Amino acid sequence: METDLVTLNIEQGIAHVCLNRPSKINALSYEMFKAIDKVIKQLAKDKRVNAVILSGAEGNFCSGLDVKSVASSPSKAAKLLFKWLPGNANLAQRVSVGWQRLPIPVIAVLQGCCYGGGTQIALGADIRIASPECKLSIMEAKWGLVPDMAGLVALRQIIAKDKALMLTYSADILTAPQALELGLISEINDAPYETALVLAQKIMQTSPDANAAIKRSINQSWTGTVRSLLARESLSQIRLLMGKNRVIAAIRQTKKPDKNYQSRQSWW
């Protein structure tokens, strides 16, 4: 499937998703928010997909919100922020938290600009691999705004509170080494896409059900209680023991290392 603003290509179980608005440094218009949300929903339903690589077109990840485009239409701005209940995710938030909610490992490849909303989207990925020249910023404060695209869901899990406050108060632009030191990114590599592909292929060698369970357990238990963590681990293990991919994993370790896994179970 391909659209003007987001491309999606699935090859051998790996989904390659690209933010594709290079003339605007992949800045986020209302239509681009819709396109990203649509792709996330499509991937959630596609049980053939066992890993996702998320990147931006032509050497940049995303320069953030296209303020002029969104501000020119009050109705579109309202649609971005509308939600039925305060605790629900609106469209602006789903393009970040949606990646966390996918039962699939998501690797973001960060190059060039990764500002504002671009950083919020990247924080929704499980792993972030950046090129040496990449620059990141949580810069909503420059516009008199609070970061409101759900990136803080992940930010509170990966860096200390005082560092998060420092970044959001100052809206400083970080180099890739600075971002790595803070834990904002996972790795710096001269060939970030190729590195992400190697990692995705390695992930493909493990059970898609196990990966879904691991992602859910870690994301939901990271700031939860010990009791909820123990309960979730037990439930996930029972589901894995009931599934065929657990048996296939054992066969791959002992008899047939190339035996194919079945599609991800529907309950993840």
Side-chain angles (χ1 to χ4, degrees), residues 9-22:
N9 297 293
I10 300 173
E11 300 175 3
Q12 298 180 328
I14 300 172
H16 301 260
V17 180
C18 183
L19 309 182
N20 188 37
R21 200 182 178 216

Side-chain angles (χ1 to χ4, degrees), residues 16-108:
H16 301 260
V17 180
C18 183
L19 309 182
N20 188 37
R21 200 182 178 216
S23 63
K24 297 291 185 179
I25 321 178
N26 303 322
L28 298 163
S29 62
Y30 172 76
E31 291 75 17
M32 196 163 185
F33 278 100
K34 293 285 288 183
I36 297 169
D37 189 44
K38 182 178 179 181
V39 165
I40 292 172
K41 290 176 179 176
Q42 181 176 341
L43 290 173
K45 297 176 182 178
D46 194 336
K47 294 180 177 56
R48 301 170 302 158
V49 176
N50 295 333
V52 178
I53 299 176
L54 173 64
S55 64
E58 297 188 16
N60 288 287
F61 185 71
C62 174
S63 58
L65 182 68
D66 185 340
V67 177
K68 183 177 180 181
S69 171
V70 174
S72 66
S73 175
S75 64
K76 290 181 179 179
K79 289 177 182 177
L80 273 177
L81 300 177
F82 174 77
K83 57 176 73 178
W84 287 106
L85 293 171
N88 290 355
N90 58 30
L91 176 57
Q93 294 165 331
R94 291 200 300 271
V95 300
S96 175
V97 77
W99 300 110
Q100 279 203 347
R101 291 175 175 173
L102 279 180
I104 311 164
V106 179
I107 307 164

Side-chain angles (χ1 to χ4, degrees), residues 134-172:
C134 179
K135 290 182 170 57
L136 301 89
S137 178
I138 302 172
M139 59 171 47
E140 283 78 4
K142 283 189 176 180
W143 300 94
L145 300 171
V146 65
D148 67 339
M149 284 176 56
L152 295 183
V153 173
L155 191 67
R156 65 179 180 171
Q157 298 173 350
I158 61 177
I159 69 172
K161 178 183 174 184
D162 61 329
K163 301 298 184 183
L165 287 168
M166 180 180 69
L167 292 178
T168 51
Y169 286 154
S170 68
D172 282 345

Side-chain angles (χ1 to χ4, degrees), residues 97-130:
V97 77
W99 300 110
Q100 279 203 347
R101 291 175 175 173
L102 279 180
I104 311 164
V106 179
I107 307 164
V109 174
L110 309 182
Q111 296 176 285
C113 292
C114 184
Y115 296 158
T119 298
Q120 302 290 314
I121 291 172
L123 285 168
D126 304 314
I127 297 162
R128 287 161 292 282
I129 301 175

